[in-house]
Amino acid sequence: MVNTDTLSETIDHSVNKAVFYFILSALVWLVLSSAFALISGIKTFNPLFICTIEGFTFGRIQAMLNTSMLMGWCGNAIFAIAFWMMARLSSLPIKHGGLLLIAGVIWNIAVTLALLGIFIGDMTPFAWMEFPIYTGGIFLLAYTLIAVWGIVAFRHKQNPYSYVSQWYILGALLWFPWIFVIGQFFLNWFPLRGVLQAIVHAWYVNALFYLWLAPIALAACYYFIPKLANVSIRSYHLSALAFWTFVIFAAWSGASNLIGAPIPVWLITTSIVFTISLTLPLLIFGVNLLGTIGSIPLEYKRSIPLKYIVFGSWAFLSHLLIKILLSVSNLDALTHFTTVYRGHEWHLVYAFFSMVLFGVLYYLVPTLLKQEWRQEIGLKINFLLSASGTVILLAALYVGGLSQGLQFNNAELSFLEIAIDLKFWMGVKLLGLLLIALANLLFAINLFSLFFNAVITSLPKLNAGKHSQLN
């Protein structure tokens, strides 16, 4: 029988090079997306900022922000964490890791080409898929080479059973190419006409968020909360029901954002029904995650990685609750065409997905490097900046959006007066983005410093090895 610690070390060694590459790439794109977010935030407050350079117009900056955040930071972070978790849960070392590196390089070349294409004006008009058409095939090729290893690891798992985290990871790996191909096919390669584009685009963004980003973060929550807190998931037997209901209901909830659009009413009504049905998995997630969080012993609550994951868990549950509320027609009439929906996107992408993955990486990198944090003050400051920046950003977009919606429904106010009143909330949003940018920069510095310390620590061993060979 293989020793558990020995097997874990073997698995870590089999994936560490590819995982390190994806982590370092993700950090670069995270910092770059933070810069784009700051520029975008400044432009909403002061439109004349960097207005003389065509590539830095608001539309292109927003497109570069979405692309670098989604395909750069989120994509690379997903590959790093999904493969490590799948290998650990399958008790199976990953073979031929060099191919993962090659596929990762191709993926990041595609991200770079996408940003350069957007900068020169080759962007598409669809949010969260603004990257040029000619990069779509490169993304698909790279993803196919990457995802196959996660599927192979699950297929040849050494355990006679599977975990719910594996279901979420496997599902995300399989669903992304399906979502991506359908979106590219009907919007870019052979574009549909008229309102059909809006329907496909709404489905694409919804599926990308809830069938790719959310499953990976949920897999991390189900894996790391019990691991870091030394407790079992409460009512774990319900997690299978939560998985299937969430996947089915979320996949058909995209058209609820199109209330009032000139599309068949039955389509919107069906989507609203599925959105409200998300109440069931929401309740189960609350029992599984919050019930477990409430039973965490005090000595484990000081863990910085766990604090990130707990924050992200709360953010996800509140995000789902807001999604359900926004499907109500009367509330949608108030919030439509306001900053509320942009806040809802940030709520999932940053407050949930990114915060959970920050916590995972703060655990994973020291584990793979066999290094310990010399001082945790940097991690604590990082968490405070991330949490406060996220809360301020979401408050600005949600409260500002509600105020904007109330003013839109007041016929006595002109659009210019509404825009002037919104400027205050754009200033608050800019403050939140500034704190988030500082937090992301500090996060990258913390991890890069750990990599640097690991390299410095290994140098004497390398030198010693050389001297022994000479003697």
Side-chain angles (χ1 to χ4, degrees), residues 134-356:
Y134 48 78
T135 61
I138 306 176
F139 278 124
L140 195 59
L141 170 64
Y143 189 88
T144 302
L145 295 174
I146 294 171
V148 67
W149 296 109
I151 299 171
V152 168
F154 182 80
R155 170 65 179 81
H156 297 285
K157 66 183 187 298
Q158 300 301 302
N159 303 321
Y161 45 83
S162 58
Y163 299 93
V164 70
S165 293
Q166 291 175 293
W167 304 353
Y168 281 112
I169 294 171
L170 183 65
L173 293 177
L174 291 173
W175 292 324
F176 177 83
W178 169 60
I179 298 166
F180 189 84
V181 169
I182 289 179
Q184 291 292 314
F185 189 90
F186 289 113
L187 295 178
N188 289 331
W189 299 339
F190 301 95
L192 297 172
R193 302 174 66 181
V195 296
L196 289 176
Q197 287 190 355
I199 296 173
V200 173
H201 178 244
W203 173 87
Y204 173 85
V205 174
N206 183 79
L208 206 60
F209 283 177
Y210 298 107
L211 298 183
W212 192 46
L213 299 186
I216 295 296
L218 282 171
C221 290
Y222 274 100
Y223 179 79
F224 281 99
I225 290 177
K227 184 179 184 66
L228 298 178
N230 197 29
V231 295
S232 300
I233 291 290
R234 184 175 181 181
S235 301
Y236 182 75
H237 62 280
L238 293 175
S239 60
L241 178 61
F243 172 83
W244 289 110
T245 53
F246 175 74
V247 167
I248 294 172
F249 297 157
W252 294 96
S253 64
S256 61
N257 294 340
L258 299 177
I259 296 175
I263 63 176
V265 176
W266 69 264
L267 184 61
I268 296 177
T269 304
T270 303
S271 184
I272 291 173
V273 170
F274 278 109
T275 302
I276 295 176
S277 299
L278 285 170
T279 304
L280 176 57
L282 171 62
L283 293 174
I284 299 176
F285 289 140
V287 172
N288 286 163
L289 301 180
L290 299 187
T292 307
I293 291 169
S295 63
I296 295 176
L298 183 61
E299 61 268 22
Y300 292 101
K301 290 185 178 180
R302 299 187 181 94
S303 169
I304 300 299
L306 187 58
K307 287 183 178 180
Y308 275 102
I309 297 172
V310 169
F311 183 98
S313 300
W314 278 102
F316 177 64
L317 296 178
S318 59
H319 171 88
L320 275 187
L321 179 60
I322 293 173
K323 179 178 177 62
I324 293 170
L325 294 176
L326 290 177
S327 67
V328 178
S329 300
N330 291 338
L331 188 57
D332 178 81
L334 177 64
T335 59
H336 216 76
F337 304 115
T338 69
T339 60
V340 167
Y341 281 93
R342 185 61 178 172
H344 200 237
E345 293 173 346
W346 274 97
H347 201 152
L348 181 89
V349 176
Y350 194 86
F352 171 47
F353 177 86
S354 296
M355 290 293 281
V356 169

Side-chain angles (χ1 to χ4, degrees), residues 418-437:
I418 297 173
I420 292 174
D421 289 342
L422 188 63
K423 191 173 183 179
F424 167 77
W425 294 108
M426 293 300 97
V428 178
K429 170 192 170 186
L430 180 58
L431 174 61
L433 289 174
L434 177 61
L435 292 177
I436 287 175

Side-chain angles (χ1 to χ4, degrees), residues 15 30 129 297 328 367 450 452:
V15 300
L30 176 67
M129 61 180 304
V328 178
T367 300
L450 200 64
F452 181 76

Side-chain angles (χ1 to χ4, degrees), residues 73-113:
W73 153 246
C74 295
N76 281 280
I78 283 173
F79 300 145
I81 292 170
F83 282 109
W84 181 81
M85 282 198 298
M86 182 64 83
R88 278 291 192 98
L89 291 171
S90 301
S91 299
L92 183 71
I94 298 294
K95 298 180 180 179
H96 309 295
L99 292 177
L100 277 176
L101 281 173
I102 296 173
V105 171
I106 296 174
W107 178 273
N108 285 298
I109 288 174
V111 178
T112 304
L113 289 176

